[in-house]
Amino acid sequence: MAQGKRQWAPALAGATALDRAFAGLGALLGIGLTGYISSRAIPEAGMMPLIVAPVGASSVLLFAVPSSPLAQPWSIVGGNVLSGLVGVAVGQSVGDPILATGVAVGLAILVMSLTRCLHPPGGAVALMTVMATHQSHGANFFYAFNPVGANSLILVGLGWIFHRFTRHSYPHVAAAPSRRLHGTQDEPPQTRGGVRAEDVDAVLADLHEAFDIDRDDLERLVQQVELRVFQRVTGPLACGDIMSKDVISIDLDATTAEARKLMRERRLRRLPVIDRFGVLAGMVTANDLIGDDVFVSAVAKPALVAKADRPALNFVAQLSDGRAHEFVVVDDGRRVIGLLTQTDLLVALARQAAG
């Protein structure tokens, strides 16, 4: 019985009940405001619809799956407008309305695919535009820009504002691929023995399926799953278990000359910066201390932080990308209680591998 219910449940990976509630609220506000803004912008529209039906389908993608490639601004605006142009062109050149609808939707898919703005509601726009062209005998290409394009632009703008409050990434920026930070030909450390881009491409080719997720997002997802499985198999390893607890730091009101001296004496490359209450204020590196003698507060930069109870393996990716070398472990008051370095993590993993 439970299996049967699951088969009928919405297959939206990663979505929570709160996400679905926000999606409904976003569509309510988005469609309502799009219609209102359109009516204020073109009050003399007469019989022309102020909001076209396919925009309702666009709102489903925009508010329910904002990370989908099909829901990005260019997909919504470009897909709808280009499909509208295709619909008008086919409607004016193909006399049979039944044939015209099929030709318009097929060409719309082709055009959207070639211009990298595939958007499912675009098929509805093409069909609707063909029908409007045959019924009115006077529909022109401007229809694709107003109301179709205008509605799409307004909806995307409202979606951008809405997702600022829901903390979703929109427009969604796919995960950046691992970089060769030092300009060498070697693969980045985090991909040498794990999932690589060519592995993802090969599996996608074998499956012969198109998935509604950005390819780089898919690669990152698989890498995170791989890391989570390793963490489950090897057992929990918290930052507090392996961090260095006797942390050498520098006061915020110290000078860069004092910081350089401390680094030389202790053979350090970086120093956490704390205020007089022991609260983390930033981090300085040897490169930050080059130049005239100034206060450390003038050159300190934000530090990467972690909590003692966080799984240490969560930071493998950042500690192996060539840019981050340590995390400052802080308590709830941001007071420094430890330092998690690449060396700490490497030794701990080696011990786990040895049993």
Side-chain angles (χ1 to χ4, degrees), residues 175-182 186-197 199 219-220 222-224 226-227 313-324 342 345 349:
S178 301
R179 297 189 303 163
R180 296 178 176 89
L181 192 64
H182 303 293
D186 290 325
E187 288 292 329
Q190 60 268 40
T191 62
R192 289 175 196 169
V195 176
R196 298 183 181 182
D199 298 325
E219 181 181 350
R220 182 181 65 168
V222 175
Q223 289 174 345
Q224 290 298 314
E226 182 185 49
L227 183 60
L313 292 182
N314 286 3
F315 304 98
V316 168
Q318 288 167 287
L319 288 175
S320 60
D321 65 2
R323 288 170 289 191
Q342 292 171 321
L345 190 58
L349 292 175

Side-chain angles (χ1 to χ4, degrees), residues 195-259:
V195 176
R196 298 183 181 182
E198 54 265 31
D199 298 325
V200 176
D201 292 335
V203 171
L204 288 174
D206 291 340
L207 293 176
H208 299 290
E209 297 285 352
F211 297 94
D212 186 13
I213 182 173
D214 187 276
R215 186 221 159 281
D216 291 333
D217 281 338
L218 181 59
E219 181 181 350
R220 182 181 65 168
L221 178 64
V222 175
Q223 289 174 345
Q224 290 298 314
V225 170
E226 182 185 49
L227 183 60
R228 180 58 65 93
V229 171
F230 177 75
Q231 183 174 334
R232 185 184 71 242
V233 172
T234 57
L237 185 68
C239 293
D241 296 332
I242 63 174
M243 68 183 185
S244 305
K245 297 180 181 179
D246 185 14
V247 181
I248 301 170
S249 57
I250 190 78
D251 290 336
L252 189 62
D253 55 358
T255 65
T256 53
E258 293 173 317

Side-chain angles (χ1 to χ4, degrees), residues 46-174:
M47 296 301 293
M48 185 178 70
L50 296 174
I51 186 167
V52 292
V55 171
S58 296
S59 71
V60 175
L61 290 168
L62 173 60
F63 295 106
V65 281
S67 63
S68 168
L70 307 178
Q72 300 314 299
W74 171 236
S75 296
I76 294 177
V77 178
N80 285 339
V81 170
L82 291 176
S83 296
L85 293 174
V86 168
V88 174
V90 172
Q92 292 181 351
S93 58
V94 179
D96 185 347
I98 302 299
L99 176 62
T101 54
V103 172
V105 174
L107 282 179
I109 293 175
L110 178 61
V111 170
M112 288 188 290
S113 298
L114 292 175
T115 54
R116 300 179 63 84
C117 61
L118 188 64
H119 186 58
V125 171
L127 189 149
M128 175 196 71
T129 309
V130 165
M131 295 174 63
T133 303
H134 277 275
Q135 290 172 0
S136 67
H137 302 287
N140 54 46
F141 292 102
F142 183 71
Y143 183 84
F145 298 99
N146 188 23
V148 175
N151 287 172
S152 302
L153 278 172
I154 294 171
L155 186 68
V156 166
L158 294 171
W160 181 84
I161 295 172
F162 182 80
H163 286 305
R164 300 279 78 73
F165 295 95
T166 62
R167 298 186 182 278
H168 284 126
S169 170
Y170 190 83
H172 180 66
V173 179

